[in-house]
Amino acid sequence: MKNKTLLKAVGVAVSLFFIPTSYATIVDIETSVGTIQVNLFDQSTPKTVENFLAYVADDSYINTVIHRSVSDFVVQGGGFTFNGEALEAITTKGTVDNEPVWSNTAGTIAMAKVAGNPDSATSQWFFNVSNNSANLDNQNGGFTAFGQVVSGMDVVEEINGLSTCNDMPMVNYDTSDCTVVPGQENLVSIVSITIVDDATNTEENVEKTPTTRAPVVTPTPDGGSSSGGSMSFALLGLLGLARLFRK
């Protein structure tokens, strides 16, 4: 009897030890333009999803702005708020290991990172507007696609179609003179991110494409950061020099 009790206790302890820290999760990302629903790949990219949900849990993404939009390429956010004059970087929680399992096809959400450092992702993410697999699956160790848009891709495309200032999408703003101070209403903001389904495996219902990443990749540092391109305005914000607008 004593042995059975001991074995049962050990079994419970082992099962608790192996409880996953995050599950397949569907989230609504409400922006000032519209809502984007995303099914996260918790089962296959668990570290990345856990990292993303940690920022969701403490409301770090609330009032952040979409700071980068490149036509037919990416729509990027998760890194900055706007204080009325400049971009301010949010507090990050440290880096997360790269998990390049799935391809950067159109409609996936992936982590941004520093050029030449595959394991440097923190808070920033981007939506692939087009099929970027040929580029982003192989660049910088491959970019981790950790979810798929299941509704609201039209919102992503609408944001991507906005006129920009230094790659930042602007709403009801004359981009012929990007030195004029915008209001918060002129930026695309994250209003909320809400978990709408935390079932244990919603991921299996999503069609995914395996990464096209070559077995061995030597990243080529380009001095930039994020999703394979420049981030002039964002970098200026980090340096405290993003006062591009005059009053």
Side-chain angles (χ1 to χ4, degrees):
M1 183 68 178
K2 184 181 294 185
N3 288 339
K4 288 184 178 180
T5 302
L6 178 61
L7 288 173
K8 184 176 181 180
V10 170
V12 170
V14 170
S15 65
L16 287 174
F17 181 79
F18 285 105
I19 289 176
T21 53
S22 59
Y23 298 97
T25 306
I26 297 176
V27 295
D28 277 350
I29 302 176
E30 183 185 356
T31 77
S32 53
V33 174
T35 299
I36 306 159
Q37 188 167 99
V38 177
N39 194 329
L40 303 176
F41 302 156
D42 302 51
Q43 304 298 306
S44 51
T45 58
K47 294 178 182 178
T48 305
V49 171
E50 182 178 10
N51 175 73
F52 177 81
L53 292 178
Y55 287 96
V56 171
D58 65 10
D59 294 333
S60 291
Y61 289 136
I62 304 303
N63 294 323
T64 56
V65 299
I66 300 298
H67 64 269
R68 183 175 183 231
S69 176
V70 181
S71 182
D72 295 322
F73 182 41
V74 297
V75 166
Q76 184 171 333
F80 303 92
T81 56
F82 182 65
N83 66 9
E85 292 184 345
L87 293 179
E88 291 186 348
I90 68 171
T91 301
T92 57
K93 305 178 186 300
T95 58
V96 61
D97 291 341
N98 200 30
E99 297 177 301
V101 178
W102 304 110
S103 187
N104 284 265
T105 53
T108 53
I109 184 173
M111 293 302 294
K113 52 188 175 179
V114 176
N117 188 346
D119 297 320
S120 59
T122 54
S123 67
Q124 292 188 42
W125 40 262
F126 60 91
F127 290 106
N128 283 295
V129 180
S130 301
N131 184 354
N132 296 319
S133 58
N135 177 14
L136 300 186
D137 284 6
N138 291 284
Q139 185 187 144
N140 199 3
F143 286 80
T144 298
F146 65 98
Q148 174 75 46
V149 174
V150 291
S151 67
M153 193 61 194
D154 57 324
V155 176
V156 175
E157 292 169 347
E158 181 177 351
I159 295 170
N160 194 235
L162 293 171
S163 297
T164 62
C165 283
N166 295 285
D167 285 344
M168 178 178 285
M170 309 297 288
V171 179
N172 297 324
Y173 179 90
D174 182 4
T175 55
S176 65
D177 185 3
C178 289
T179 62
V180 176
V181 179
Q184 188 73 35
E185 70 277 5
N186 299 125
L187 308 178
V188 180
S189 303
I190 302 299
V191 178
S192 66
I193 301 182
T194 307
I195 296 174
V196 296
D197 189 345
D198 60 357
T200 55
N201 195 6
T202 57
E203 178 184 340
E204 66 181 2
N205 301 321
V206 180
E207 290 187 12
K208 303 181 291 294
T209 303
T211 181
T212 60
R213 188 170 72 94
V216 178
V217 175
T218 302
T220 302
D222 60 9
S225 63
S226 191
S227 51
S230 65
M231 285 180 56
S232 55
F233 191 93
L235 289 175
L236 287 172
L238 284 172
L239 295 171
L241 300 176
R243 299 173 184 271
L244 301 181
F245 310 104
R246 67 167 183 267
K247 292 183 178 179

